[in-house]
Amino acid sequence: MDEEQPLEMETFDQKNESLPEESLRKIVRWRPVQNVGGSMPRARHGHRAVSVKDLIIIFGGGNEGMIDELHVFNPQKREWYVPQIRGQSPSPAAAFGATALGTKIYTFGGMIEYGKYTSEVYELQATRWEWRRMPTKTTGSDLAPAARLGHSFVASQKTQKAYMFGGLTNELNDNKRNLPRYMNDLYTLDLSAAPNAVIWEKPETFGEPPSVRESHTAVIYETDTVNRMIIYGGMNGVRLGDLWYLDLDTMHWTEIKLDDPRCGISPEPRSLHTSVLIDDKMFVYGGWVPLMSSGPGNEQEREWKCTSSVACWDITKNQWIPLQHYCSDPETMPRGRAGHCAAAMGDRMFIWSGRDGYRKAWSNQVCCRDMWELETKKPEQPGKIALARAGFNLLEVSWPPVQGATAYFLQTGFVDTKDGPASEKRVPPSPRKQPSAAAVPQKEDDKNAPAAPSLISTQGTTYTAPAPPNTTANEGELPQDLFDDTEKNERTSASPRPSGDAQAGLSTKKPDEGAGQSDEGTEKEEETSSHENEDDDLAWFDIGVIKDPAVNVTHYFHARQAPLEDQIRELIDKNGFKCVNDPCFTADDKVPLINGHTYRFRVCAVNGLGKGAWSETQSFKTCTPGYPSAPSSIRITKSPDGAQLTWEPPANTHVSGKILEYSVYLAVKNQSANPADSQLAFMRVYCGPLAECNVHQPSLQSAYVDHTNKPAIIFRIAAKNEKGYGPATQVRWLQDQQKMMPVRSAYPNMNPGYVYQNQAPQQKRIRYDHH
């Protein structure tokens, strides 16, 4: 097959570190998805891919026969799964329509045999992996759409409808005789009544519609003010390269006049391509493009070939955006193909399989069996860094995962220049810019000073932010509760080797000793303050370019080591990582953390296009000897009158001495009169010697529900010895969104703190601290 160099794609010189800001060219990078786990699907074409949450679901297609297998790909874990399917599955089909609305996938039409098409609608509930054939109705005198293939089928979150346009039907519907007819009819499928029934309607449209076609693509672009479907390409005997808008509010068709120079340079006309929406841009890849006859005056399409070109339509600017390859090596780009599938996941487009090397004059076709991802921008800024666990020479930090990140670049530094020896400081300061708001260490009152009554009396606090569910499955099996995990606990562990998933997204505090409970029974969290540009002149030290969003920090690289920032590109190109924890580094290469010192941290996400913005700077302090460590193995279960909490005593009681008491705090809604006060308030719901407690329903009613990731109620638990309170462990108790209805209180006129203050003492349990 002839090699093709598409006009709309140029090469980006890697030696050029950055392009001029005035350049309108968008840099994209193809990367092969390799070293994946699980059972990879068979190669095919005419299949479909749909994104549901953080999964890509692939179904159907054919290659020497129809394929009825359903496979699931997890881009974050780089794994294929084959879920256990329930219900009535649709007949194996190719060139059908598939779209998602929430966690439900709908399919319509397709070819089930040569010349025989279907008009059935099926629903797949992805939380249970259950298929069901949907009963359909029509409105008025409208007829249901004819059986077809090659149509577009996309859903709108706003209208709760799917929009089906065009396609190819067999007038005879006979697999022995085929009388094809191209169509340009538009139908809507009302999905709001599902699962009872779905309703077909043929709406009235205005303006001239697109011409008849099949094997085109459609995407829906929705904002607060725009609700639009975009139709591109296809074929009706010749390849098409026109582009149309349908306003879903007015149902008015508009053709974009691509011969207008303001619309940019159009890609080649094509069919059997894919289009996905990323932000306000439609990315078009692959398909069949025509080869014109070389005869003079003869422009009729004689044959075609597969293309590997990518095009980008900017919906807000109404123009084709020139793209540039990050790398020109042919091995770093996928082969040309058609009939493949594509799905958007965040800022990335994934393609899989399809047929390659087919021309009208040839009788053979070859199906690819590879997956590629197209990175379209650098990663987003990571969320707040949090501390999972603090030790004398250890800070276990983590942060929320960034979608599309290949790695994370983590750095640390001292809060004050006098905190570290001069030999460990980078001079001059690191040229790497810091975030505009740099965190300042939390204030720590003197041990003998009177403590403010509004502060939690603990030495430090460990608490969780949202963590990805730690779902595991054997090859060929997908957990049936992949999405329905809302009643599980996200908790931390103070054990020496906590799991990465359980510890993802944690943070710490250093409250003062001896603080009491306020009259209202609430405790306020002392937030880390930030001062702009305060530590711009302080040095940063590298910890590593790491794979996971969590790491145990015991050392950092010595200042004499080569900066990792200069090595990021090479590491990413080779899918490599480099961390100070790697066994190849000796004591001469790294510097250990010191107990009782405060360290700053910042992190940025990295992908094939480079590193994104630095996170907000956070400061954490290593432990001071003598205090108890944090309670561990926290378990929360529902009880008839609220929630029951149990935990294990601190692991260092043999050193810190007997535990005198525990305190349990519940995050509550802040009742501050100042609307600008965003501090998180905590109410003590238990104080006593037992490693368990019950939190009653009236207290839970006043709880603050954290919606950072999944709705969760937050608890903190800390232990106290003769010296004072040690670090607290914070746990997020996931809540079922559908069950989070207000519960009528058994004490409607009482302050929630009253229940704790007046509850009967808990029965003593034979489970005391080991010391």
Side-chain angles (χ1 to χ4, degrees):
M1 186 177 71
D2 297 336
E3 292 294 331
E4 179 184 23
Q5 182 65 34
L7 296 176
E8 70 273 19
M9 188 73 75
E10 297 184 1
T11 299
F12 171 56
D13 186 1
Q14 294 190 32
K15 296 180 181 180
N16 183 13
E17 293 292 333
S18 61
L19 292 175
E21 292 183 0
E22 64 271 18
S23 175
L24 297 178
R25 299 189 180 277
K26 182 176 180 64
I27 301 172
V28 296
R29 181 174 187 175
W30 282 110
R31 303 188 74 190
V33 180
Q34 298 173 331
N35 302 319
V36 298
S39 177
M40 183 178 293
R42 286 186 286 167
R44 66 192 72 186
H45 60 91
H47 52 291
R48 297 293 182 257
V50 177
S51 298
V52 175
K53 291 196 174 181
D54 56 352
L55 303 176
I56 297 176
I57 299 169
I58 294 176
F59 178 73
N63 183 15
E64 298 180 356
M66 297 298 177
I67 301 174
D68 62 351
E69 302 166 351
L70 186 146
H71 287 75
V72 179
F73 182 72
N74 187 320
Q76 187 70 27
K77 296 182 177 181
R78 289 297 203 261
E79 285 185 311
W80 287 101
Y81 301 98
V82 180
Q84 183 178 352
I85 299 298
R86 296 186 288 184
Q88 181 185 3
S89 300
S91 301
F96 55 96
T99 188
L101 198 61
T103 59
K104 296 179 179 179
I105 298 173
Y106 295 91
T107 66
F108 166 72
M111 180 176 69
I112 55 178
E113 296 179 25
Y114 177 77
K116 185 177 182 179
Y117 313 143
T118 180
S119 60
E120 293 179 339
V121 177
Y122 280 82
E123 176 193 85
L124 173 66
Q125 176 52 266
T127 60
R128 300 188 301 269
W129 304 114
E130 183 175 5
W131 282 107
R132 68 187 297 257
R133 185 175 181 272
M134 299 297 293
T136 59
K137 300 179 181 179
T138 58
T139 58
S141 59
D142 292 339
L143 298 176
R148 66 190 69 200
L149 60 74
H151 49 285
S152 58
F153 190 62
V154 288
S156 165
Q157 295 288 340
K158 275 188 175 182
T159 65
Q160 295 290 294
K161 293 181 179 180
Y163 296 81
M164 191 277 300
F165 174 77
L168 179 73
T169 189
N170 182 0
E171 292 278 39
L172 303 177
N173 199 27
D174 184 348
N175 59 350
K176 296 182 179 180
R177 295 185 300 164
N178 193 3
L179 184 60
R181 176 169 64 91
Y182 295 103
M183 295 178 289
N184 67 343
D185 51 350
L186 174 73
Y187 278 84
T188 64
L189 184 63
D190 189 346
L191 304 173
S192 61
N196 297 325
V198 289
I199 303 171
W200 284 112
E201 181 182 0
K202 192 171 185 179
E204 180 182 7
T205 61
F206 305 92
E208 181 182 355
S211 60
V212 296
R213 67 191 63 207
E214 58 104 357
S215 298
H216 55 283
T217 56
V219 299
I220 285 186
Y221 175 69
E222 296 177 307
T223 66
D224 293 339
T225 58
V226 178
N227 195 16
R228 178 183 297 163
M229 180 171 71
I230 299 99
I231 299 288
Y232 172 70
M235 72 162 295
N236 55 12
V238 295
R239 315 295 145 182
L240 303 172
D242 52 350
L243 192 147
W244 296 77
Y245 286 170
L246 174 65
D247 189 310
L248 301 183
D249 295 324
T250 64
M251 300 305 293
H252 189 278
W253 285 105
T254 302
E255 181 180 9
I256 305 300
K257 302 300 182 181
L258 297 178
D259 54 355
D260 187 330
R262 292 173 297 181
C263 290
I265 301 176
S266 300
E268 298 166 286
R270 64 191 66 202
S271 65
L272 283 173
H273 55 285
T274 53
S275 297
V276 301
L277 185 69
I278 299 177
D279 295 331
D280 61 346
K281 296 175 177 59
M282 179 179 72
F283 286 84
V284 178
Y285 169 74
W288 281 343
V289 296
L291 292 176
M292 298 299 181
S293 171
S294 59
N298 186 358
E299 296 183 356
Q300 184 179 0
E301 184 178 317
R302 296 292 185 184
E303 56 185 34
W304 55 88
K305 70 173 183 179
C306 293
T307 180
S308 61
S309 61
V310 183
C312 176
W313 174 257
D314 190 313
I315 299 172
T316 57
K317 295 180 180 179
N318 289 330
Q319 63 180 211
W320 292 105
I321 303 298
L323 298 178
Q324 290 182 294
H325 274 303
Y326 183 89
C327 179
S328 60
D329 186 351
E331 296 297 323
T332 64
M333 293 178 281
R335 295 177 292 172
R337 66 193 66 201
H340 54 284
C341 69
M345 186 66 65
D347 300 326
R348 298 168 294 166
M349 176 177 71
F350 288 83
I351 65 165
W352 185 76
S353 202
R355 54 183 172 185
D356 167 47
Y358 180 87
R359 294 176 63 171
K360 188 175 180 180
W362 300 348
S363 59
N364 66 307
Q365 63 183 31
V366 178
C367 283
C368 311
R369 196 171 182 243
D370 54 354
M371 175 175 274
W372 292 76
E373 63 177 314
L374 181 73
E375 295 174 328
T376 64
K377 62 171 64 172
K378 295 179 180 179
E380 298 293 333
Q381 181 186 38
K384 181 182 292 187
I385 302 176
L387 188 71
R389 183 165 53 99
F392 301 124
N393 306 99
L394 164 71
L395 292 171
E396 181 183 341
V397 296
S398 60
W399 52 92
V402 177
Q403 192 174 65
T406 304
Y408 300 94
F409 181 24
L410 181 65
Q411 292 184 323
T412 189
F414 295 107
V415 171
D416 198 318
T417 54
K418 64 178 179 290
D419 285 345
S423 62
E424 295 178 11
K425 298 184 176 68
R426 289 191 189 277
V427 181
S430 169
R432 298 185 279 278
K433 290 294 181 182
Q434 308 204 34
S436 59
V440 170
Q442 302 162 22
K443 296 182 179 179
E444 186 179 355
D445 293 340
D446 189 279
K447 177 179 176 181
N448 299 320
S454 62
L455 296 179
I456 301 175
S457 174
T458 57
Q459 182 201 5
T461 300
T462 299
Y463 58 96
T464 68
N470 187 16
T471 54
T472 57
N474 296 327
E475 181 174 326
E477 181 179 357
L478 189 66
Q480 300 302 309
D481 61 348
L482 194 62
F483 303 112
D484 294 340
D485 56 354
T486 53
E487 294 188 7
K488 299 174 184 175
N489 297 339
E490 287 185 9
R491 57 184 179 270
T492 66
S493 172
S495 59
R497 296 180 182 273
S499 79
D501 285 344
Q503 297 295 329
L506 310 173
S507 190
T508 129
K509 288 282 166 215
K510 174 84 176 179
D512 304 314
E513 180 185 356
Q517 187 177 6
S518 65
D519 293 339
E520 294 77 19
T522 62
E523 314 289 342
K524 284 203 174 180
E525 173 184 1
E526 183 183 9
E527 293 289 344
T528 300
S529 59
S530 300
H531 295 287
E532 188 172 355
N533 300 325
E534 181 171 297
D535 56 354
D536 277 349
D537 293 332
L538 299 178
W540 288 98
F541 301 94
D542 296 334
I543 295 173
V545 177
I546 59 180
K547 181 179 181 180
D548 299 315
V551 64
N552 291 333
V553 181
T554 58
H555 296 76
Y556 54 87
F557 279 113
H558 199 286
R560 61 172 171 262
Q561 294 291 316
L564 285 180
E565 187 160 4
D566 299 338
Q567 308 171 47
I568 287 181
R569 174 171 291 175
E570 181 180 1
L571 289 170
I572 296 302
D573 289 347
K574 296 180 179 179
N575 293 316
F577 306 96
K578 185 176 182 179
C579 181
V580 70
N581 295 341
D582 295 342
C584 59
F585 297 109
T586 66
D588 294 335
D589 302 319
K590 53 191 179 181
V591 181
L593 301 189
I594 305 171
N595 64 64
H597 277 59
T598 303
Y599 294 87
R600 299 172 300 140
F601 288 89
R602 67 175 182 177
V603 67
C604 65
V606 182
N607 68 4
L609 294 176
K611 65 184 185 68
W614 288 107
S615 68
E616 177 185 348
T617 301
Q618 296 295 316
S619 298
F620 308 116
K621 189 172 185 178
T622 52
C623 287
T624 303
Y627 292 89
S629 57
S632 62
S633 303
I634 300 172
R635 180 175 178 82
I636 306 176
T637 56
K638 289 183 178 179
S639 63
D641 59 346
Q644 182 181 33
L645 286 75
T646 61
W647 58 89
E648 293 293 335
N652 70 336
T653 52
H654 62 287
V655 176
S656 63
K658 181 180 179 179
I659 301 301
L660 302 178
E661 67 180 23
Y662 297 95
S663 284
V664 177
Y665 295 90
L666 170 68
V668 296
K669 303 166 187 174
N670 195 344
Q671 303 298 327
S672 172
N674 181 7
D677 186 2
S678 61
Q679 290 182 325
L680 193 61
F682 279 82
M683 173 178 69
R684 182 151 59 182
V685 292
Y686 171 74
C687 181
L690 301 181
E692 64 176 324
C693 74
N694 288 313
V695 181
H696 296 284
Q697 193 63 245
S699 297
L700 294 177
Q701 279 188 276
S702 62
Y704 165 78
V705 179
D706 178 28
H707 290 272
T708 306
N709 187 0
K710 298 176 182 178
I713 293 175
I714 301 174
F715 290 96
R716 287 182 178 175
I717 307 174
K720 180 182 179 181
N721 64 5
E722 292 181 353
K723 196 167 185 178
Y725 273 100
T729 300
Q730 179 166 307
V731 59
R732 301 176 75 252
W733 185 28
L734 295 179
Q735 303 296 299
D736 189 339
Q737 300 183 58
Q738 298 178 352
K739 298 178 182 178
M740 289 177 57
M741 299 298 292
V743 180
R744 180 171 297 178
S745 173
Y747 311 89
N749 299 318
M750 294 181 183
N751 187 300
Y754 173 88
V755 180
Y756 154 65
Q757 297 166 12
N758 296 274
Q759 63 182 326
Q762 299 186 43
Q763 190 172 7
K764 204 165 188 178
R765 182 184 179 192
I766 306 176
R767 182 167 171 251
Y768 253 84
D769 311 324
H770 39 278
H771 36 79

